[in-house]
């Protein structure tokens, strides 16, 4: 009787414990695999971000170099334009002085000889 009771009760209990162990083993295996996948996914993300960061840093460095070259060109162009403006201002001052001299000469001529009759001159010719 005792054997019957033990066999009758312990065998299903053993089967139940075996099933629970199997389920726990499968779940644990899946959890470990999931954790491994999480780690590999994290490593992939970190590697990808690191690579993109390096590429971005290279692009930033290149843009900084291009900006510095542009800045040098800009400064050279501004210097050249300022020189040209200075030369034009000097030329303008010389021309204004020449105009003042010519006007004074013209006024002196008119004071000495009188005005010129342009309309009469144009009608004759």
């Amino acid at each position: 009787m005792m054997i019957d009771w033990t066999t009758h009760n312990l065998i299903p209990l053993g089967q139940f414990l075996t099933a629970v162990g199997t389920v726990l083993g499968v779940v644990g295996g899946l959890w470990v695999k999931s954790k491994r996948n999480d780690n590999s996914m994290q490593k992939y993300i970190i590697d990808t971000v690191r690579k993109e960061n390096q590429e971005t840093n290279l692009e930033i460095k290149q843009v900084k170099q291009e900006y510095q070259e542009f800045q040098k060109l800009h400064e050279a162009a501004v210097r050249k334009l300022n020189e040209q403006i200075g030369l034009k201002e000097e030329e303008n001052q010389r021309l204004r002085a020449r105009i003042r001299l010519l006007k004074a000469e013209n006024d002196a001529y008119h004071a000495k000889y009188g005005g010129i009759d342009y309309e009469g001159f144009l009608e004759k010719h």
Side-chain angles (χ1 to χ4, degrees):
M1 264 313 214
M2 178 92 129
I3 293 177
D4 288 337
W5 180 86
T6 307
T7 306
H8 181 67
N9 289 325
L10 289 182
I11 290 178
L13 181 63
Q15 290 173 342
F16 174 74
L17 290 177
T18 302
V20 168
T22 304
V23 168
L24 288 177
V26 169
V27 169
L30 290 174
W31 183 78
V32 168
K33 186 177 180 183
S34 169
K35 205 64 166 145
R36 209 174 300 129
N37 285 343
D38 285 349
N39 288 341
S40 64
M41 184 60 76
Q42 287 174 356
K43 185 178 183 304
Y44 170 77
I45 290 171
I46 289 171
D47 290 344
T48 302
V49 169
R50 187 174 290 141
K51 182 179 176 184
E52 288 176 0
N53 191 26
Q54 288 172 346
E55 291 171 359
T56 302
N57 286 339
L58 288 175
E59 289 175 9
I60 289 171
K61 185 177 180 181
Q62 183 179 357
V63 168
K64 281 183 180 179
Q65 288 174 345
E66 290 172 0
Y67 174 75
Q68 289 172 348
E69 291 172 15
F70 172 76
Q71 198 170 21
K72 288 176 186 176
L73 290 173
H74 172 74
E75 290 170 0
V78 167
R79 262 194 314 277
K80 186 175 181 179
L81 288 173
N82 284 333
E83 289 172 7
Q84 290 177 349
I85 289 170
L87 292 173
K88 292 295 180 185
E89 286 176 350
E90 289 175 14
E91 181 182 4
N92 190 21
Q93 290 173 358
R94 284 194 306 274
L95 289 173
R96 287 181 186 273
R98 177 136 170 85
I99 288 170
R100 282 192 301 273
L101 289 174
L102 290 172
K103 188 169 182 353
E105 185 182 318
N106 191 31
D107 291 344
Y109 180 85
H110 284 291
K112 186 174 183 180
Y113 298 106
I116 299 175
D117 181 17
Y118 290 111
E119 292 177 10
F121 176 80
L122 290 175
E123 288 177 7
K124 291 180 185 177
H125 290 91

